[in-house]
Amino acid sequence: MSSPPFGGSNEMPAVFPDWSPYPDLDSAARAYLRDPEVALEALFGVLRGAQVLCFTLERFVNEVNGVWQEVVVCDGSRLVLWHGEDVAPGDGPAGAMTSSLRVVPLSTVTEVGCRRRLTRTPNGQARVDSIDVYLLLSSVDDAVSPPGVGEEEGRAPLRHDALRFGKTLDDGGPGQIARLEEFSRVVASLVGRPTL
């Protein structure tokens, strides 16, 4: 299945192709993202030949902005995040999108959490039907606090920044659940160790 190029048709399939069978970033991105060239150019411009130890991909259709895409890559010392999102109607020309890049040193990851939801098959075997992963960072979240929160002290409460990822059987399937769990294990194995 081919995906429309950047600025192409806004009609997106409800279920995207599965990227989990592809072991390398290039093939997985080309199979899954709508705009793989934009993402890969940004990512490889930062990676500059560094080995990709693990990665995870996400894509969904937002009713307001259109397509939202994300790639997170770990090279052993950094997390390199690319995010692409269609611009909301009225906020730019038709077909416009944003492309953002963020680099997070692994030394700033203070905690890795992975929650799996298990269900039992009729024969009693446990099966993972969803996974939620978070990476807590030492940086502070710069989001504005909701009205009334922290005002009694005259300042907003500080919250650490976090990266969150999730997959379910309906959103990604068992292959993507397994790949996200693998991603969390690789990152967790590197946190607190000297960087490569």
Side-chain angles (χ1 to χ4, degrees), residues 4 7 20 29 31 45 49 72 80 94 96 108 117 136 151 155-156 175-176 184 189:
S20 67
V72 185
V80 183
T108 65
R117 186 174 69 191
L136 188 63
E151 291 178 0
R155 61 182 168 83
Q176 291 182 36
S184 72
S189 73

Side-chain angles (χ1 to χ4, degrees), residues 18 53 84 92 99 139 196:
D18 185 8
L53 299 182
S99 173
S139 56
L196 301 176

Side-chain angles (χ1 to χ4, degrees), residues 22-45:
Y22 300 93
D24 65 288
L25 176 61
D26 188 84
S27 298
R30 292 184 189 284
Y32 188 68
L33 299 178
R34 186 195 63 191
D35 304 295
E37 292 82 12
V38 176
L40 293 171
E41 179 184 4
L43 291 164
F44 290 144

Side-chain angles (χ1 to χ4, degrees), residues 136-146 149-162:
L136 188 63
L137 306 178
S138 59
S139 56
V140 176
D141 186 355
D142 60 359
V144 177
S145 298
V149 175
E151 291 178 0
E152 63 279 353
E153 300 169 11
R155 61 182 168 83
L158 295 179
R159 287 185 11 192
H160 283 276
D161 198 2

Side-chain angles (χ1 to χ4, degrees), residues 9 12-13 17 19-20 33 35 58 60 70 80 87-88 94 100 110 117 119 125 129 134 144-145 149 153 169 180 189:
S9 170
M12 299 301 298
W19 62 267
S20 67
L33 299 178
D35 304 295
E58 185 59 77
F60 62 85
E70 182 178 57
V80 183
V87 174
S100 306
T110 60
R117 186 174 69 191
T119 57
Q125 185 177 17
D129 72 358
Y134 73 89
V144 177
S145 298
V149 175
E153 300 169 11
L169 289 178
L180 180 54
S189 73

Side-chain angles (χ1 to χ4, degrees), residues 7 39 47 51 54 57-58 73 76-77 90 98 102 105 121 143 151 154 167 173 181 184:
L47 291 169
Q51 181 182 6
C54 60
L57 307 175
E58 185 59 77
V73 176
S77 63
T98 60
R102 180 179 182 188
T121 61
E151 291 178 0
K167 293 289 182 182
E181 185 169 10
S184 72

